[in-house]
Amino acid sequence: MNKSRIQTGKQHSLARGAANLGSIAASWLILQSILNASPALADSRPPQPSLSYGELLEKIQSREVSNVEIDPTQQVVRVKLKTPVQGKSEVVVPIFLQNPELIETLRKNKVPFAVQPTADNSAALGFVVNLLLIMVLIAGLLMILRRSANVSNQAMNFGKSRARFQMEAKTGVKFDDVAGIEEAKEELGEIVTFLKQPEKFSAIGARIPKGVLLIGPPGTGKTLLAKAIAGEAAVPFFSISGSEFVEMFVGVGASRVRDLFKKAKENAPCLVFIDEIDAVGRQRGAGIGGGNDEREQTLNQLLTEMDGFEGNSGIIIIAATNRPDVLDAALLRPGRFDRQILVDAPDFKGRLEILNVHSRNKKLDPEISLETIARRTPGFTGADLANLLNEAAILTARRRKEAITIDEINDAVDRVVAGMEGTPLVDSKSKRLIAYHEVGHAIIGTLLKDHDPVQKVTLIPRGQARGLTWFTPNEEQGLISRAQILALITSILGGRAAEEVIFGDAEITTGAGNDLEKISSLARQMVTRFGMSDLGPLSLENQSGEVFLGRDFVARNEYSEEIAARIDSQVRNIIQHCYEQAKQIIQENRTLIDRLVEILVEQETIEGDKFRQIVAEHVPLPEQQLASNF
């Protein structure tokens, strides 16, 4: 079907080219006929005659003519008169094609005459026109042939691999340029060593892994690791994205996979890097219509090439994805991707190393501590940290400073986390209501033992938020306890609790809409996934997936309606208890909250250390979590 379409396209292009040549040829033929029919058009017209043919004969007979030149080509005679006529001694007189009477009269009166025909350029002009026409026709044929050759070449190369190939990948990236993921670097360093010194491993019977799958969230450095491997190994390097295999024509993706591995075998040992492999490696048989589509044929060919009857010795496949849950099981088995390396968000030490790498070309103020920045940015990936320093550099240039200061770092952190800064609010009822809302979050987070300490409270709008409260953990958190989740829910409800206690139930606003979404999700996960309720240690719900990612088309509950009602009841009890606790804290610290609101309205931002200092002047910071029995 595809071949017939391509041939039809070639026939259409040839037909259009022939039609264009026909029109050009017709135009040239018409021009040629005009030029041949009127050769005298190329020459200047003769002047208007001063004598008629009869008057000329009379002048000859009266011996008033001294000389005559006959031009049979233009059918005129040029006459020299002894007596000027109308002030002219030379005149031009038209004659007939045959002029025996004129010649006889000239001879009879012994007037010297000569026949001098003008050169006829019509033949030469016709030759030139024909030559130009032939050249135009030849040039048109060459253009048509070249276009048809390009079409055929595109048809032949349609199934070729689009992988970018380098004999020695000069990516400019080494392992020293990759920081914060030391475990991944160590495992990938073995791959580089095997490529450089294979005898070191083969001497004891070790076999090189066929494939390495890099798994991790976006921005953690998976592609950067692949570039570092290519830069360190100094072997032929193929790089391609998973989406470049798949086309609308069935069979093209499989053809490109075959062509890629064919080139890789010719240049073994080598590295093949496939970025975003989930574009082609998703589970087979997903969706409503079955599994015989272009993507699945491409995946089948990839599975065959990686571990089929023919061995691919010396070819190492490195792939990257942030969606390992959607990959086909056959792709993940040993023998295809032997190693799965997790490239997760860096810890404090990793963030510090990443900041050291990205600050090499930045002018930093001597007072800036990279350790402080690393502690303030938990959960940031390598890409986030690079963007943070770049935003700080942009702000520094905009403010015309010579070096990046802590102010630019703080503003860059706020911009990366919450968005661009908006226009500050004017002092009004709305501003004070937002101030009470944010102080409600901050005061409860400060007074609860199991909550992260507050970092900043601000009324400066950022993004869609009219006010913001930041909390920063003191240490890296791998696991979260039940007490921490309850403290988090209570602090999130602090904004709505402050609105109700201070302004009354009729004045609560829509500002807590996002807060309510968060706590509903947290409370439901406590009941259905983490087993933190009276229902016991049960996991009743899994993370749902879409139909085209290899999941069920119809979502099915794994529990009865009675259990569903109990789940809803438990979620409601958790949220209601935390809300009552938040209102109690707000009521008991009303004086302190009023003072904090006055300071916040005046200064618009309160840093975490100052906030805790003010709270400590009124109430002691708790050493234990408030009672949370329900």
Side-chain angles (χ1 to χ4, degrees):
M1 178 179 177
N2 301 334
K3 184 176 180 181
S4 62
R5 289 180 179 175
I6 295 171
Q7 290 177 349
T8 303
K10 291 171 63 179
Q11 292 172 359
H12 288 327
S13 63
L14 289 174
R16 287 194 298 268
N20 293 334
L21 285 178
S23 61
I24 293 173
S27 301
W28 276 105
L29 289 174
I30 294 173
L31 177 61
Q32 180 185 10
S33 63
I34 293 174
L35 293 175
N36 289 336
S38 304
L41 291 177
D43 301 328
S44 60
R45 292 180 177 271
Q48 294 294 327
S50 301
L51 297 175
S52 64
Y53 185 74
E55 292 175 343
L56 174 61
L57 294 177
E58 292 179 357
K59 292 287 186 183
I60 294 173
Q61 293 175 357
S62 61
R63 299 184 182 276
E64 296 180 8
V65 177
S66 61
N67 191 14
V68 175
E69 291 182 0
I70 302 174
D71 187 352
T73 302
Q74 296 189 6
Q75 297 181 5
V76 296
V77 293
R78 295 175 177 85
V79 182
K80 290 184 179 180
L81 301 173
K82 295 178 180 180
T83 302
V85 176
Q86 297 179 358
K88 297 180 180 180
S89 59
E90 293 185 3
V91 295
V92 178
V93 180
I95 59 176
F96 302 106
L97 185 61
Q98 301 294 331
N99 303 280
E101 183 180 2
L102 174 62
I103 297 175
E104 183 180 354
T105 305
L106 290 172
R107 288 176 178 174
K108 183 178 180 180
N109 292 282
K110 299 180 180 181
V111 177
F113 69 93
V115 179
Q116 294 182 354
T118 304
D120 190 2
N121 297 325
S122 59
L125 184 61
F127 176 76
V128 172
V129 170
N130 291 330
L131 182 61
L132 289 176
L133 176 59
I134 293 173
M135 293 177 64
V136 170
L137 290 174
I138 293 175
L141 288 173
L142 290 176
M143 291 177 61
I144 293 174
L145 292 175
R146 181 176 296 179
R147 183 176 298 178
S148 62
N150 291 336
V151 172
S152 61
N153 289 336
Q154 292 176 2
M156 296 301 294
N157 294 328
F158 199 66
K160 298 294 183 181
S161 173
R162 297 185 178 180
R164 293 160 291 280
F165 172 66
Q166 294 175 308
M167 280 302 296
E168 292 186 5
K170 298 179 181 179
T171 59
V173 181
K174 301 287 186 178
F175 277 148
D176 294 337
D177 301 318
V178 182
I181 40 179
E182 299 302 323
E183 296 82 2
K185 286 168 57 177
E186 183 177 353
E187 292 208 26
L188 293 173
E190 295 180 359
I191 304 296
V192 175
T193 305
F194 192 97
L195 289 170
K196 290 183 175 180
Q197 301 173 348
E199 65 279 356
K200 179 179 178 181
F201 296 89
S202 59
I204 56 175
R207 179 179 57 84
I208 185 172
K210 291 185 178 181
V212 179
L213 183 63
L214 304 178
I215 301 172
T220 52
K222 300 184 293 297
T223 305
L224 187 66
L225 266 177
K227 292 181 179 179
I229 296 170
E232 293 280 352
V235 297
F237 180 73
F238 295 84
S239 62
I240 192 171
S241 173
S243 60
E244 295 184 50
F245 287 113
V246 182
E247 290 282 354
M248 64 178 292
F249 302 108
V250 177
V252 173
S255 176
R256 288 179 178 174
V257 172
R258 287 191 296 269
D259 185 67
L260 172 63
F261 279 87
K262 178 182 177 182
K263 293 178 181 178
K265 291 175 185 177
E266 295 172 353
N267 295 277
C270 66
L271 286 171
V272 177
F273 174 60
I274 304 176
D275 198 8
E276 303 297 342
I277 195 174
D278 51 278
V280 69
R282 293 187 177 183
Q283 294 183 16
R284 292 169 291 181
I288 306 173
N292 191 24
D293 61 358
E294 161 65 0
R295 182 186 56 79
E296 294 195 2
Q297 290 190 21
T298 305
L299 174 58
N300 291 335
Q301 186 63 43
L302 181 62
L303 296 175
T304 303
E305 293 289 346
M306 288 190 68
D307 188 21
F309 286 100
E310 295 183 5
N312 292 326
S313 58
I315 302 176
I316 300 179
I317 311 295
I318 301 175
T321 182
N322 53 15
R323 296 294 307 273
D325 54 315
V326 305
L327 294 179
D328 194 86
L331 193 64
L332 301 178
R333 73 163 176 82
R336 291 197 174 102
F337 282 108
D338 301 275
R339 291 188 179 183
Q340 299 181 22
I341 300 177
L342 179 62
V343 187
D344 208 348
D347 55 7
F348 166 73
K349 182 180 178 182
R351 292 195 299 275
L352 181 59
E353 294 175 355
I354 293 173
L355 289 172
N356 284 322
V357 170
H358 290 292
S359 62
R360 291 173 183 172
N361 60 344
K362 304 287 191 304
K363 293 183 179 180
L364 299 179
D365 189 271
E367 297 182 357
I368 288 183
S369 172
L370 295 180
E371 293 185 1
T372 304
I373 301 175
R375 293 188 184 280
R376 285 192 56 187
T377 53
F380 275 45
T381 63
D384 293 331
L385 294 172
N387 186 37
L388 167 64
L389 292 181
N390 185 62
E391 289 290 342
I394 292 174
L395 290 174
T396 303
R398 186 183 302 168
R399 296 171 182 176
R400 298 182 180 179
K401 294 184 178 180
E402 296 182 355
I404 301 174
T405 64
I406 192 64
D407 294 334
E408 283 72 42
I409 294 294
N410 292 334
D411 292 342
V413 171
D414 296 346
R415 181 164 186 169
V416 171
V417 172
M420 188 170 58
E421 180 178 331
T423 305
L425 299 172
V426 297
D427 192 3
S428 61
K429 178 181 178 181
S430 177
K431 184 176 182 179
R432 300 187 70 83
L433 191 147
I434 296 174
Y436 275 105
H437 184 102
E438 299 303 329
V439 170
H441 289 308
I443 192 68
I444 293 177
T446 302
L447 295 179
L448 292 180
K449 173 188 173 184
D450 296 295
H451 200 280
D452 298 329
V454 63
Q455 176 186 333
K456 180 191 294 186
V457 185
T458 180
L459 293 181
I460 298 177
R462 286 191 176 273
Q464 296 182 352
R466 310 306 296 171
L468 292 167
T469 303
W470 275 281
F471 296 96
T472 303
N474 288 325
E475 58 185 12
E476 301 294 333
Q477 295 181 346
L479 300 176
I480 303 177
S481 67
R482 181 175 181 269
Q484 289 174 317
I485 297 177
L486 291 175
L488 179 60
I489 294 176
T490 305
S491 69
I492 293 176
L493 287 169
R496 169 58 67 85
E499 292 180 9
E500 182 176 346
V501 171
I502 304 300
F503 297 96
D505 184 66
E507 295 294 328
I508 58 175
T509 67
T510 59
N514 189 34
D515 297 337
L516 299 180
E517 291 181 9
K518 292 179 181 178
I519 63 166
S520 299
S521 175
L522 284 172
R524 190 168 190 86
Q525 290 183 54
M526 288 180 66
V527 178
T528 61
R529 294 186 57 199
F530 306 140
M532 296 179 178
S533 69
D534 293 342
L535 292 180
L538 298 175
S539 178
L540 301 174
E541 290 181 357
N542 297 321
Q543 290 181 340
S544 60
E546 292 80 3
V547 57
F548 292 105
L549 299 181
R551 303 293 185 257
D552 294 333
F553 177 60
V554 180
R556 294 175 298 178
N557 293 330
E558 299 179 355
Y559 45 82
S560 63
E561 294 183 1
E562 179 183 355
I563 296 297
R566 293 183 61 186
I567 291 174
D568 294 339
S569 176
Q570 288 292 313
V571 171
R572 190 180 303 108
N573 290 340
I574 292 174
I575 294 176
Q576 188 62 33
H577 169 78
C578 293
Y579 187 58
E580 294 297 331
Q581 187 178 13
K583 289 196 296 183
Q584 180 182 354
I585 296 174
I586 298 296
Q587 292 170 352
E588 292 175 354
N589 298 276
R590 174 65 186 273
T591 304
L592 173 60
I593 292 174
D594 291 339
R595 181 186 174 188
L596 289 170
V597 167
E598 293 298 330
I599 297 174
L600 183 60
V601 170
E602 179 182 356
Q603 300 181 1
E604 293 190 338
T605 299
I606 304 178
E607 298 295 335
D609 294 337
K610 183 178 180 180
F611 189 91
R612 284 185 289 274
Q613 180 182 356
I614 296 173
V615 172
E617 293 175 358
H618 290 74
V619 293
L621 297 181
E623 297 293 334
Q624 298 179 354
Q625 178 197 10
L626 298 177
S628 58
N629 297 323
F630 59 93

